[in-house]
């Protein structure tokens, strides 16, 4: 089983749609969780950390389910500029473990 | 100054060449990282330096040799690489590493390496 698993997509959605990504992780000892965004041929950038109580930042909501070992990212009112690859990141044994990413394409 | 810079941005080298990748961070961080990103694969952690000391070598072949002269600079020396080493090499920094609780990592733009 991979340490971090994501649906690679692509998710094709129209502008204004709501889209959700899930990510599962295998290490029950993981303590920190993040969503990073990576644009084509660019470096990953932190989108948001994921807290146990769930957190929201504008149109983005992240949630953590420790019992089921998954985290989610919800994007409301999608914009063209949201098109990117979204990387799920989990702390492993003294390191960050990245998922392969989920590609999102938002069309007009 | 941008937070994390990397040079060169693109590099083409033969299998017998020796080259070095450079990373510099202007964020006052104490931890620096090298990652490899290949097509269709997740980022692979290669090396971690914490306060200039190497704390992680993720089973990386010896043809990759890191160097961290101070907390702001990180190098990756390359020699006798293979075509399958062609990838995007990303440097990152964070305030510190601390057990299993990691701070946000800030990435440089990467060096796109092609080995012929």
């Amino acid at each position: 089983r991979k340490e971090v698993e994501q649906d690679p997509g692509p998710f094709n959605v129209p502008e204004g749609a709501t889209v959700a990504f899930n990510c599962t992780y295998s290490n029950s000892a993981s303590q920190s969780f993040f969503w990073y965004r990576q644009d084509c041929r660019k470096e990953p950038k932190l989108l948001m950390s994921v807290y146990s109580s769930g957190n929201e930042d504008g149109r983005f909501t992240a949630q953590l389910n420790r019992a089921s070992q998954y985290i989610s990212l919800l994007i409301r009112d999608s914009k063209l500029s949201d098109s990117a690859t979204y990387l799920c990141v989990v702390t492993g044994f003294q390191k960050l473990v990245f998922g392969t990413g989920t590609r999102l394409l938002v069309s007009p | 100054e941008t937070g994390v810079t990397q040079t060169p941005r693109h590099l083409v080298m033969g299998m017998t060449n020796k080259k070095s990748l450079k990373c510099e961070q202007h964020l006052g961080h104490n931890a620096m990282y090298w990652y490899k990103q290949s097509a269709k694969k997740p980022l692979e952690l290669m090396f971690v330096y914490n306060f200039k000391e190497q704390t992680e070598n993720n089973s990386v072949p010896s043809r990759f040799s890191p160097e961290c002269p101070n907390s702001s600079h990180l190098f990756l020396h390359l020699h006798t690489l293979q075509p399958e080493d062609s990838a995007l090499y990303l440097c990152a920094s964070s305030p510190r590493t601390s057990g299993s609780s990691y701070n946000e990592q800030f990435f440089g733009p990467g060096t796109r390496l092609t080995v012929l």
Side-chain angles (χ1 to χ4, degrees):
Chain A
R1 182 182 174 186
K2 292 180 183 177
E3 290 186 81
V4 178
E5 292 205 62
Q6 295 182 253
D7 181 343
F11 283 52
N12 291 284
V13 302
E15 270 187 294
T18 296
V19 61
F21 308 135
N22 287 331
C23 164
T24 59
Y25 61 94
S26 60
N27 184 359
S28 59
S30 298
Q31 295 185 14
S32 299
F33 308 88
F34 310 92
W35 283 102
Y36 275 71
R37 170 191 168 134
Q38 187 171 22
D39 292 294
C40 186
R41 305 187 76 81
K42 295 285 186 70
E43 73 273 21
K45 293 184 180 178
L46 180 70
L47 178 65
M48 57 197 305
S49 300
V50 186
Y51 304 121
S52 296
S53 55
N55 49 300
E56 187 174 307
D57 183 2
R59 298 181 293 109
F60 299 85
T61 301
Q63 291 193 310
L64 167 64
N65 184 319
R66 285 189 184 274
S68 301
Q69 294 182 207
Y70 78 81
I71 66 174
S72 64
L73 176 68
L74 182 76
I75 305 176
R76 290 180 298 278
D77 188 23
S78 299
K79 310 292 184 189
L80 294 176
S81 57
D82 293 334
S83 297
T85 296
Y86 292 84
L87 305 171
C88 172
V89 185
V90 175
T91 51
F93 181 67
Q94 297 188 347
K95 64 181 182 181
L96 290 181
V97 182
F98 286 76
T100 51
T102 298
R103 191 169 172 212
L104 172 65
L105 298 172
V106 181
S107 54
Chain B
E1 289 181 327
T2 54
V4 181
T5 58
Q6 289 187 243
T7 55
R9 295 293 307 277
H10 300 272
L11 178 62
V12 179
M13 59 187 289
M15 289 190 284
T16 58
N17 292 156
K18 289 185 180 180
K19 297 287 184 183
S20 295
L21 309 185
K22 178 182 176 182
C23 175
E24 184 173 359
Q25 58 96 359
H26 309 275
L27 300 169
H29 291 167
N30 293 307
M32 296 188 77
Y33 312 79
W34 279 117
Y35 287 89
K36 175 183 178 181
Q37 188 173 35
S38 305
K40 310 284 187 189
K41 291 185 178 180
L43 266 75
E44 300 171 52
L45 179 66
M46 300 174 72
F47 301 104
V48 180
Y49 278 82
N50 200 20
F51 292 94
K52 301 188 298 179
E53 298 297 320
Q54 187 180 128
T55 57
E56 177 99 12
N57 177 337
N58 206 25
S59 302
V60 180
S62 60
R63 57 186 183 270
F64 295 91
S65 175
E67 179 189 0
C68 188
N70 54 60
S71 293
S72 299
H73 293 85
L74 186 64
F75 295 90
L76 188 63
H77 304 299
L78 316 171
H79 64 97
T80 60
L81 294 192
Q82 304 298 310
E84 59 265 28
D85 296 323
S86 298
L88 180 67
Y89 288 85
L90 290 159
C91 172
S93 72
S94 66
R96 68 184 188 281
T97 66
S98 177
S100 59
S101 177
Y102 276 67
N103 303 119
E104 173 189 353
Q105 292 187 10
F106 294 80
F107 285 84
T111 295
R112 190 160 295 280
L113 174 67
T114 302
V115 182
L116 302 177

